[in-house]
Amino acid sequence: MSIIRKVKSVEQLFGKLELEISDFKSRTSLHCLSGCGKCCTKPDIEASPLEFLPWAFHLFLNGKIEDVLEELNKKADPICHVYLPLSLNNNGSGKCGDYHHRGLICRLFGYAACKDKQGNTQLATCKIIKEDQSESYKQATLAIDNDLYIPVFSDYYMHLAQIDFRLGNIILPINKALIMAIEEVLQYYAYRPFPKGFNAA
């Protein structure tokens, strides 16, 4: 499968997820606080390269991929390279630097569920939402227990792996996943003609 087809397949999966999350948010009233990027500051976030393939391909089309790869290779900080803090002390106020091309893990967290050992569905969200929206959180967990549909992490990662088994099953620290996504695009086009719309500038 070509890189372009993989990117489109990942984007279609993300589009389906966005509809499901939008429905879940409207039914539960749960929402992220404006300007909060606390979850992005966790140093142990892991992701697959495949979920960042659309991001890497976007960089490639806009002639930025090699510069970003160089920045990533020099980066010692484990916090996601795409995250933009709003202050120098990195107190959790910030935003995604490319929200449209954020990964699957970024889309799922807060509005999706994990399955416990008994197969029960547990909403995976942050402490801030649990505390600041405690009543909505309680109502949401009750609704989930009563079969309100919620996206499930493992289901979506299984769907992702069906697009590309190798890239979808590699789980790495997020910046290493970004690097591998970039390298995948660069290797693919090393001996192939560039796609239409390519901007070499």
Side-chain angles (χ1 to χ4, degrees):
M1 185 187 295
S2 72
I3 284 281
I4 292 174
R5 281 185 62 196
K6 287 179 191 177
V7 166
K8 287 182 177 177
S9 295
V10 173
E11 288 175 339
Q12 285 172 359
L13 183 66
F14 287 174
K16 176 177 180 287
L17 176 59
E18 287 302 305
L19 291 174
E20 293 180 357
I21 288 176
S22 178
D23 183 63
F24 178 76
K25 287 164 76 172
S26 70
R27 290 174 183 270
T28 63
S29 300
L30 294 176
H31 59 278
C32 290
L33 300 182
S34 179
C36 180
K38 192 77 173 174
C39 60
C40 304
T41 65
K42 286 175 61 65
D44 57 350
I45 298 172
E46 294 184 324
S48 72
L50 185 56
E51 64 196 90
F52 283 102
L53 201 64
W55 170 80
F57 188 66
H58 173 73
L59 292 177
F60 178 72
L61 289 179
N62 288 279
K64 298 176 180 176
I65 196 166
E66 291 180 352
D67 289 341
V68 173
L69 179 60
E70 185 177 347
E71 290 169 10
L72 274 162
N73 282 326
K74 290 177 180 176
K75 186 177 176 74
D77 186 348
I79 293 172
C80 179
H81 180 73
V82 187
Y83 173 66
L84 296 176
L86 297 180
S87 65
L88 293 175
N89 65 3
N90 200 5
N91 62 1
S93 297
K95 63 180 183 177
C96 180
D98 194 346
Y99 189 79
H100 180 73
H101 293 105
R102 69 198 187 283
L104 182 58
I105 187 66
C106 317
R107 295 167 190 269
L108 287 167
F109 185 72
Y111 308 107
C114 297
K115 296 275 190 181
D116 64 19
K117 291 179 180 178
Q118 287 73 42
N120 299 315
T121 306
Q122 304 278 331
L123 174 60
T125 194
C126 70
K127 185 178 179 182
I128 295 170
I129 286 178
K130 287 178 183 177
E131 292 178 354
D132 288 5
Q133 302 165 52
S134 59
E135 192 54 40
S136 292
Y137 173 74
K138 288 175 189 173
Q139 292 301 319
T141 55
L142 283 172
I144 292 165
D145 289 343
N146 287 299
D147 295 326
L148 172 67
Y149 177 79
I150 181 171
V152 175
F153 277 79
S154 56
D155 292 347
Y156 264 92
Y157 273 96
M158 181 184 68
H159 293 317
L160 188 72
Q162 289 171 349
I163 297 168
D164 184 311
F165 185 82
R166 179 180 64 88
L167 287 179
N169 277 295
I170 298 170
I171 301 297
L172 300 167
I174 195 161
N175 288 328
K176 292 188 182 300
L178 296 176
I179 289 171
M180 190 167 181
I182 285 175
E183 289 174 341
E184 195 72 19
V185 174
L186 289 174
Q187 288 167 10
Y188 183 84
Y189 284 110
Y191 301 102
R192 289 181 176 90
F194 292 156
K196 290 179 181 178
F198 177 74
N199 179 6

